[in-house]
Amino acid sequence: MKCILVLICAFTMLSGVAQSNDSISMGKHSKLSYKPLIVPALLIGGGFALLNTNANDRLQTDIRSAFGKDFHTKADDYLQYEAVLQIYGGRYLGFQPKNDLLHQTINIVVANTIMCGAVQMMKHSFKEERPDLSDSFSFPSGHTGTAFTNATLLFYEYKDSNIWYASSGFLFATATGAFRIANNKHRTSDVLEGAGIGMAVGTIVSYWCPFQSFTFGKNKTHAFLYPQMGTNYGIGLVLER
């Protein structure tokens, strides 16, 4: 289990710091290097490679044995949104973000919408049964996709200000994926797939910066996105003028 967590952390860190001269245009002001998309592609490929294999089943047994077969936590329901709080909170800790509050919110909404759409489409296409047999929407992991989408957005928001703070979201995202397996809600293939999709979407949206010149009328508008937790889980939006 430790090897898997170390590999996922290494993949995520390498994805953020990778640089390349080969790039594709992502709009007027930004260019996206091919290299940051290599690691997400490897994670996505690894998820597909493990799907419906004996290795996937063995990993499930080994990881759950390490945590304990009766292990259960709701921490993954909260940790998937942790990077959103860091994105908003970084400026108050003295770190300089790439975007203002409004455009941070736009990036979070756009990235999570794209990721959720891709994950849901795949869930309904593959119809993989969960390890706990609760339903047939196991592949890929939506919690992990959310966690890695937001961790990647966090990275690109603050990497030029403080690389350690920017990278810290990946630790919480990795913990989210590990807990999904430990809770017997997902297999390693599901988590790798969700992580890869989340990182890919987060990277593309960070470079794309949709609606970069968007404002609400003439007055300055502040936007704040926050996780909703309780009976139901989701994201709330507050706009202030």
Side-chain angles (χ1 to χ4, degrees), residues 7-20 31-43 98 148-149 151-160 162-170 195-196 198-200 202-204 206-207:
L7 281 174
I8 295 177
C9 284
F11 281 154
T12 55
M13 298 300 180
L14 285 171
S15 175
V17 300
Q19 299 294 327
S20 173
K31 286 187 175 181
L32 172 61
S33 167
Y34 286 110
K35 268 193 174 181
L37 294 176
I38 293 175
V39 171
L42 289 173
L43 291 171
K98 175 184 173 185
F148 275 88
T149 297
T152 304
L153 293 176
L154 170 67
F155 180 84
Y156 285 104
E157 273 295 317
Y158 291 101
K159 69 183 181 68
D160 295 328
N162 187 295
I163 191 67
W164 297 108
Y165 182 78
S167 303
S168 61
F170 289 127
M199 288 182 67
T203 299
I204 292 170
S206 292
Y207 277 87

Side-chain angles (χ1 to χ4, degrees), residues 64-78:
R64 293 209 67 227
S65 295
F67 278 91
K69 291 190 176 181
D70 295 325
F71 176 87
H72 180 71
T73 180
K74 290 187 176 181
D76 44 343
D77 291 328
Y78 299 90

Side-chain angles (χ1 to χ4, degrees), residues 79-146:
L79 288 176
Q80 63 178 322
Y81 300 117
E82 188 277 337
V84 174
L85 300 179
Q86 285 190 269
I87 289 171
Y88 288 125
R91 58 172 37 85
Y92 302 109
L93 296 175
F95 306 129
Q96 182 62 44
K98 175 184 173 185
N99 297 293
D100 58 26
L101 284 170
L102 173 61
H103 292 91
Q104 284 178 338
T105 301
I106 290 173
N107 283 357
I108 292 170
V109 171
V110 171
N112 280 274
T113 299
I114 294 172
M115 179 280 303
C116 186
V119 166
Q120 290 302 316
M121 182 175 65
M122 291 180 68
K123 282 179 179 290
H124 285 82
S125 296
F126 286 91
K127 294 183 179 178
E128 283 294 315
E129 195 166 48
R130 292 185 188 272
D132 66 356
L133 309 181
S134 58
D135 62 43
S136 298
F137 302 115
S138 184
F139 183 84
S141 168
H143 280 64
T144 309
T146 299

Side-chain angles (χ1 to χ4, degrees), residues 56-57 59-61 63-65 67-73 76 129-135 138 176-188 190-191:
N56 209 23
D57 295 334
L59 285 169
Q60 188 73 12
T61 300
I63 294 172
R64 293 209 67 227
S65 295
F67 278 91
K69 291 190 176 181
D70 295 325
F71 176 87
H72 180 71
T73 180
D76 44 343
E129 195 166 48
R130 292 185 188 272
D132 66 356
L133 309 181
S134 58
D135 62 43
S138 184
T176 300
F179 285 145
R180 294 307 284 167
I181 299 173
N183 280 333
N184 209 31
K185 287 294 183 180
H186 287 287
R187 300 177 180 84
T188 303
D190 310 334
V191 167

